[in-house]
Each structure stands twice: as structure tokens, then as C-alpha cells.
Amino acid sequence: MSTIAENIAAIRARIDAAARTTGRTGADITLVAATKMNDAARVREAVAAGIDACGENRVQEMTEKLAQGAYTGAPLHFIGHLQTNKVRQVVGKVDLIQSVDSPELLAMIEKRAAGQGIVQDILLEVNIGREAAKSGFAPEKVLPAAEAALERTHVRVRGLMTIPPADAQRDANFRYFQEVQALYVDMNQKLFHNELEYLSMGMSGDYEDAIRAGATM
């Protein structure tokens, strides 16, 4: 049975190979470990093995593992759907909220961050498949959402995140990734002076295609 360190090394080799097809290397890609349903000891093992960041998608589980020092030594990202009534438990506790999916959530994060006197880094989530059951901004709403975020003083947009439809075929998935990459480039040029860093796309089954389409995370 492979160890966590061996798994990370194998994934990094595949990340590097995919990145090189785009003129980059694995060093240009941030590897986030989705740590849900893994206990604090396993998370600490991943951190020790050099994972770039930990990603949690359940607030209660994140809070419990924070109390256990599970993430010490690595940035912590919140990657799941965040309800507005849970914002107070996340803002200021994580380095990056990847899943900002509505104007209401953006406003609540701003309010909580202002109350703490901090600036919370976020990604805007794109519902690229326009799925009724999935949260996120429709593609045409991404630029207005970014403009709204720029008017706020306690949130900082660092890029975009997307998860394509789960039932999409590989070629369709790749097109979805390319569409979000185009949105990212357009938003970056028009609003952010090409200073954005993070295009978060790709999970265990499709991260190589996401990297080939331009993902940086």
C-alpha cells in the first residue's frame, strides 16, 4: 500500500509532465490536498510530505481539525459550498476561500472580514456547466461579480475556481476548462492588471487536462 508521501510524489510527477506541455513545470502548479474524511494525523502526514495547501469543504470538520493543529505548516483553503450562516467560522481562519458563489456570500465575507480588520483572500466560483443544482456564478456574471468585489475593501480576489459537470465526457470537460481559462484571462486583463495568480481547476480524475487547459491550482 502506497504511503501518502509516495502518492504525492507520483501525483507531482504527473503534474510536472502535464505542465511541461504548456511551457511550465510542476513548480508553477499549486497542489491542494482535499483533506475531508481524513483525520488530523493523516493531514499532518500530508503536510510533512510537502503538500502545497490543505482544502476542507466541511466547516465543522475543519474547525475540529484546526483545534488539533492538523494544518500547521501549510496554507488552509476552504473548498466546499459555504453557507452564509457559517461564514463567521471560516473568515480569518483560512488563507483562501475558493468557493465564493454568490453576491450574498461575498457581502457576508466582506462584513465578517471588516469586523476582524482583515482582508480575506477569495476565488470566485464559476458554474461553467450552468447546472441548476450547483452553486457558482454563470459565466456572464463573473466579470460583474469581480467588479463588485473590487469595490469592497476587506476581500481580495485572487482568481477563479470551477468544477465541471460530474457526468461530462473528457472532451467536454476539457472545453469547460478552456472556457474558464478564457474568462480568467479576460478578467485578469480588464480588472486586475494581470496580477491574478490562481486558476483552480481539476480534481483527482481530471487534473492533468485542467493543467493542460491552463490551471495553476
Side-chain angles (χ1 to χ4, degrees), residues 29-143:
I29 311 298
T30 299
L31 174 58
V32 181
T35 48
K36 69 175 181 179
M37 298 173 68
N38 285 276
D39 62 21
R42 285 176 61 81
V43 176
R44 282 192 287 266
E45 188 178 341
V47 172
I51 202 74
D52 293 323
C54 298
E56 284 288 354
N57 66 349
R58 295 172 179 164
V59 173
Q60 182 177 348
E61 187 176 343
M62 183 197 82
T63 301
E64 291 170 357
K65 283 190 276 195
L66 268 172
Q68 297 167 12
Y71 314 109
T72 301
L76 175 58
H77 298 180
F78 191 80
I79 59 176
H81 174 62
L82 179 58
Q83 297 171 304
T84 54
N85 64 347
K86 300 275 183 74
V87 166
R88 60 184 175 79
Q89 296 170 264
V90 175
V91 168
K93 301 290 197 306
V94 303
D95 297 275
L96 183 68
I97 300 174
Q98 291 209 22
S99 46
V100 177
D101 57 15
S102 69
E104 295 77 18
L105 181 59
L106 181 65
M108 185 60 70
I109 292 171
E110 166 71 19
K111 180 180 178 180
R112 287 292 175 182
Q116 296 180 34
I118 63 169
V119 176
Q120 177 67 62
D121 283 351
I122 65 169
L123 303 183
L124 300 175
E125 181 176 354
V126 185
N127 185 352
I128 194 61
R130 301 177 185 275
E131 297 169 272
K134 186 181 286 183
S135 54
F137 292 99
E140 67 275 10
K141 300 291 187 181
V142 170
L143 212 59

